[in-house]
Amino acid sequence: MVDIGFVEKTRAIHGLLKTELPIAAGVCVVAGEVISGQTLSLNTILLGFAVGFFISGTAMMTNDYWDLEVDKVNHPTRPLPSGKISISELKILAATFSVAGLSAAAILGPVPMIFSVMIWVVGLLYNWRYKESGLPGNMMVSLSVASTFILGGIAAGGLLNGIVWLFGGIAFLFDLGEEIAGGAMDAEGDAKRGVKSFARVRGREFALRTSALIFALVISLTFLPYLFGWLGLFYLVSVVILDLGVGFFAYRLLKSGTPSEGRSYIRSLYLSMLVFVVIVIVNTLLG
């Protein structure tokens, strides 16, 4: 392990955690709670965010643990392969996050607790064994992302609300597009682990075209909440602008020449999805 100071260690933990991803997971759980149409307490909102944040954080860290050899090729400067975070430190952090996330879920109730355990298990199984499977593994990750909205609906008592499931479906497809595109960017390192990604099985161009088609489907689905009368004009105007951005980034990703360039567009797409979720929350709160 590399001997570093407190500030550098904090940055390393941030890099290990990929903080924006757990934050986004927490926000998606809150979005699921808000759009469920139920009356919410601040306690429910905070606990929902905590479940999403800590369980997603656990998945991020354990992914780096099982991806160590791959990351030595794809991302050698990441905290674990660079030695800024040790294996023992990672295990302590992952255990702490697991306990925190599942404890918050238990406070929300037995059903949220059971559902959260399922999400936690799926994340660990993917990192440990199923990442190599290619598309099935991609779908496991996408299912975990979609489940954040469903968890929010469960926590708020509005599981049967159609908009919860619609946004869960949108999240599933959006993440699937990102996963397939990400496989095209990480093909060299994935070969070391034997990952059967779309890019390695069918070729980089096929994977990126498939990803672009999925993003096009996502864009079309984003209009349904307005057409069904679930969300209003503010949502429609906002989502049109956002969809233009998603379309642009998806096109640039399709035309990307290098893995680093492609990853930058994948990150832009991810941030676009986070903005979309915030728009949904704001529009729902505005009525």
Side-chain angles (χ1 to χ4, degrees), residues 253-267:
L253 175 61
L254 181 62
K255 299 298 182 180
S256 61
T258 64
S260 60
E261 182 184 2
R263 291 187 191 107
S264 70
Y265 290 122
I266 291 173
R267 179 177 174 79

Side-chain angles (χ1 to χ4, degrees), residues 14-277:
H14 167 72
L16 178 71
L17 189 58
K18 305 172 189 68
T19 312
E20 67 273 14
L21 301 182
I23 288 176
V27 170
C28 287
V29 175
V30 173
E33 293 176 332
V34 171
I35 64 178
S36 69
Q38 307 300 305
T39 301
L40 298 173
S41 67
L42 179 60
N43 187 56
T44 299
I45 292 174
L46 293 177
L47 286 171
F49 178 86
V51 175
F53 178 85
F54 286 114
I55 290 182
S56 175
T58 303
M60 293 300 107
M61 289 185 283
T62 55
N63 178 70
D64 277 18
Y65 173 77
W66 275 295
D67 258 3
L68 179 56
E69 295 304 316
V70 174
D71 283 345
K72 287 178 180 178
V73 176
N74 284 339
H75 311 285
T77 61
R78 280 183 176 174
L80 206 58
S82 67
K84 294 178 181 178
I85 297 289
S86 69
I87 296 294
S88 60
E89 287 173 332
L90 182 146
K91 289 180 179 179
I92 292 171
L93 285 168
T96 301
F97 269 60
S98 296
V99 171
L102 295 178
S103 296
I107 296 173
L108 284 170
V111 178
M113 171 63 173
I114 293 171
F115 194 78
S116 297
V117 170
M118 292 171 59
I119 299 172
W120 182 80
V121 169
V122 168
L124 292 184
L125 285 176
Y126 168 79
N127 291 334
W128 169 55
R129 182 65 65 186
Y130 290 96
K131 186 171 184 176
E132 293 92 337
S133 65
L135 183 60
N138 295 153
M139 295 181 73
M140 288 177 71
V141 175
S142 300
L143 183 63
S144 296
V145 172
S147 67
T148 57
F149 284 93
I150 309 304
L151 175 60
I154 293 173
L159 178 61
L160 299 181
N161 193 316
I163 193 172
V164 172
W165 289 92
L166 173 61
F167 281 113
I170 289 174
F172 175 86
L173 290 171
F174 195 95
D175 189 77
L176 184 60
E178 286 187 333
E179 288 292 315
I180 291 173
M185 302 305 119
D186 292 341
E188 181 183 353
D190 286 346
K192 188 176 183 65
R193 186 170 171 175
V195 177
K196 300 179 180 67
S197 65
F198 254 42
R200 295 195 63 236
V201 174
R202 300 294 300 273
R204 182 180 188 274
E205 185 175 351
F206 179 85
L208 291 178
R209 286 182 177 178
T210 301
S211 175
L213 287 174
I214 293 174
F215 286 127
L217 176 58
V218 167
I219 289 173
S220 67
L221 291 177
T222 59
F223 291 98
L224 293 183
Y226 177 77
L227 295 176
F228 289 161
W230 290 334
L231 297 174
L233 187 60
F234 171 80
Y235 169 82
L236 178 63
V237 174
S238 301
V239 85
V240 166
I241 297 172
L242 187 64
D243 282 344
L244 289 173
V246 170
F248 171 76
F249 292 132
Y251 174 78
R252 295 302 300 170
L253 175 61
L254 181 62
K255 299 298 182 180
S256 61
T258 64
S260 60
E261 182 184 2
R263 291 187 191 107
S264 70
Y265 290 122
I266 291 173
R267 179 177 174 79
S268 296
L269 283 163
Y270 178 83
L271 293 175
S272 298
M273 181 62 179
L274 182 57
V275 172
F276 173 72
V277 173

